[in-house]
Amino acid sequence: MRHDLADTAAERRASGKAARKRVARGTLGYWAEAERGHDALETVLAQNQIRDPGLLPIRHQRMAASPWNYYRGAAAVMASDLASVPDSGLNVQLCGDAHVLNFGLWATPERNLAFDLRDFDETLPGPFEWDVKRFAASLVVAAQENRLKPAKAAAAVTAGVQAYRKQMRRYAKMHELDIWYDGTHVDSLLGYFEPADRGRVSVHIERKRKRRTSRGAFAKLVAMAHGRPRITEDPPIRRTIDDEEQADLVDHLLAEYRMTLREDRRSLFDRFTEADIVRQVVGVGSVGMRVYLVLLEGRTGADPLFLQIKQAGPSVYEAHTQSSAHGNHGERVISGKRLVQTATDIFVGWGTLHGNDYYVRQFRDMKIIPSTDLIAPRLAEFATACGETLARAHARTG
């Protein structure tokens, strides 16, 4: 329980100005490869220690496919690079991997579509500008991926960072509860685009919204085998596991996860029964971490619920700031997610199995994730929405 009075607005302003002496604003863009203090390849390979060795070739292949894929998978490299230069000391709860495609849409508990940050594997308290730099650099790499002119990339960076600055200035004058309740509804997101583009973007969102649900995943991923619903194999993306391994996951990991749910949500979870579990490969940087896709059935037999269980290791920032305050890295991810997002999936939780930490969330649940080719023609507009969203995330905890 805190007993000291919170800093006044004047004291907070003074702290911000003092940070400019620690690192001048004009130097925030400085970085020199010769001074990075680590070998990028060694940094990437050091992450292999906690990963499934059989999946490492897939991770390295995906990262090598393009500069954009490398950027997505090399959060640890950028964390070391960011830590090689002075920082502001103005800490927030970092997303930790705030690249442009880690902003997206998904359903709130009230089933509204909200636009927010979506990936928190690396979340940890740290200097606010580390997220901003990760975001800004991603706009340049994404622009290059789609062969946009340098001027287009520069315009997107300017739009995104200006939006962050202006929105943060607005939040500095807002009441705490107003910041906490603020959010970006899907209709507000459409307002960032030119009128000529809104119809096309809206159609894309609505189509994805209907498909990316547990029922949509059931129709696409499940087939009946011996009278039992089974998630179809698609090696190496999805692989079946035997009944003994499934029982181990249910009896230990899912049982522990269940106790991390709020009581009302635990009651809802108990209405579902495990039907099948497969191993899954996801993302780029996450490849090699153990991931499971779980199919549960409701009481009617036509009421599926898909959960994704994902291994969580230490944040890439822990070596450069401080160790997580949470004993379980799955709990670290979920706690950071709840701090930063305006609304969070009702089934998030965590657990452990055989010495590894995991977190759990719904699979898809109306999640609509953009692609670089989709946003490239509208990169500056999308960057503006992302910049304002990042400001809100930082204002909640800064």
Side-chain angles (χ1 to χ4, degrees):
M1 182 69 181
R2 291 181 59 182
H3 297 287
D4 294 334
L5 293 175
D7 290 346
T8 65
E11 288 170 335
R12 294 198 303 274
R13 191 176 297 110
S15 295
K17 289 184 177 181
R20 297 177 187 173
K21 296 179 180 179
R22 174 170 171 154
V23 51
R25 287 171 292 172
T27 66
L28 282 172
Y30 173 80
W31 180 78
E33 184 176 0
E35 300 171 15
R36 72 194 315 180
H38 72 110
D39 181 271
L41 180 57
E42 289 180 1
T43 299
V44 171
L45 296 179
Q47 293 188 288
N48 294 348
Q49 297 177 8
I50 63 171
R51 297 171 188 259
D52 184 336
L55 297 176
L56 294 178
I58 299 175
R59 182 182 192 231
H60 298 156
Q61 182 183 36
R62 290 187 177 184
M63 288 182 66
S66 69
W68 172 249
N69 272 21
Y70 174 80
Y71 189 83
R72 287 182 59 189
V77 175
M78 189 160 189
S80 296
D81 289 344
L82 290 168
S84 70
V85 295
D87 64 76
S88 68
L90 300 175
N91 286 352
V92 299
Q93 182 72 30
L94 296 172
C95 161
D97 192 12
H99 68 69
V100 67
L101 294 195
N102 272 342
F103 295 80
L105 291 161
W106 65 86
T108 68
E110 298 78 22
R111 315 318 291 157
N112 298 315
L113 275 182
F115 182 76
D116 214 328
L117 285 155
R118 67 174 190 87
D119 190 303
F120 298 92
D121 286 3
E122 311 301 345
T123 186
L124 199 74
F128 81 94
E129 70 269 22
W130 288 3
D131 266 353
V132 177
K133 290 181 179 183
R134 178 85 171 144
F135 163 56
S138 76
L139 293 169
V140 177
V141 183
Q144 293 172 347
E145 175 82 357
N146 288 273
R147 298 175 181 170
L148 298 183
K149 294 180 180 179
K152 293 280 188 181
V157 171
T158 299
V161 176
Q162 280 187 346
Y164 177 92
R165 176 177 57 81
K166 290 178 180 178
Q167 193 75 337
M168 189 61 77
R169 190 178 187 89
R170 172 175 167 261
Y171 285 130
K173 300 176 182 179
M174 284 176 62
H175 298 295
E176 296 291 349
L177 288 179
D178 292 340
I179 295 172
W180 200 260
Y181 288 131
D182 197 23
T184 303
H185 188 268
V186 63
D187 294 338
S188 301
L189 175 65
L190 293 174
Y192 288 95
F193 296 94
E194 295 296 328
D197 290 328
R198 290 173 193 168
R200 184 163 57 251
V201 175
S202 180
V203 169
H204 173 80
I205 290 172
E206 191 59 29
R207 184 172 63 249
K208 291 284 188 179
R209 177 181 190 166
K210 292 178 179 178
R211 293 178 181 176
R212 298 186 68 82
T213 63
S214 283
R215 287 190 290 274
F218 187 89
K220 184 177 181 179
L221 303 179
V222 175
M224 299 302 292
H226 307 293
R228 175 181 172 186
R230 303 288 289 188
I231 302 172
T232 55
E233 270 201 302
D234 182 20
I237 306 303
R238 293 187 303 276
R239 293 186 182 275
T240 59
I241 58 177
D242 59 35
D243 290 344
E244 183 177 352
E245 187 175 356
Q246 291 201 36
D248 194 27
L249 282 159
V250 172
D251 294 342
H252 297 96
L253 201 161
L254 282 179
E256 185 177 336
Y257 151 75
R258 175 182 174 275
M259 297 308 297
T260 67
L261 293 172
R262 215 170 65 183
E263 185 174 355
D264 60 327
R265 294 167 183 181
R266 193 183 314 149
S267 175
L268 174 60
F269 176 74
D270 288 344
R271 294 174 180 238
F272 293 85
T273 304
E274 178 269 325
D276 195 23
I277 305 176
V278 298
R279 288 283 298 271
Q280 191 179 30
V281 175
V282 298
V284 178
S286 295
V287 177
M289 302 298 270
R290 295 160 182 84
V291 182
Y292 299 93
L293 181 61
V294 183
L295 167 63
L296 301 105
E297 282 193 305
R299 293 174 296 177
T300 67
D303 187 15
L305 169 65
F306 279 92
L307 297 179
Q308 186 182 77
I309 302 173
K310 187 175 181 182
Q311 183 185 355
S315 166
V316 295
Y317 296 93
E318 290 191 42
H320 311 294
T321 54
Q322 69 276 326
S323 297
S324 170
H326 302 281
N328 182 304
H329 285 293
E331 183 181 8
R332 170 185 61 77
V333 171
I334 298 306
S335 296
K337 183 180 180 75
R338 286 171 170 161
L339 280 169
V340 170
Q341 285 185 325
T342 53
T344 302
D345 171 15
I346 64 172
F347 282 113
V348 293
W350 60 89
T352 57
L353 184 67
H354 304 312
N356 293 317
D357 297 337
Y358 293 86
Y359 66 91
V360 183
R361 61 187 178 190
Q362 285 191 71
F363 179 63
R364 294 189 175 172
D365 193 34
M366 299 189 195
K367 294 181 180 69
I368 303 172
I369 304 165
S371 59
T372 57
D373 59 330
L374 179 67
I375 66 172
R378 310 162 189 88
L379 192 59
E381 294 91 337
F382 192 76
T384 300
C386 295
E388 292 188 0
T389 298
L390 185 60
R392 182 179 64 244
H394 288 175
R396 288 167 66 94
T397 61

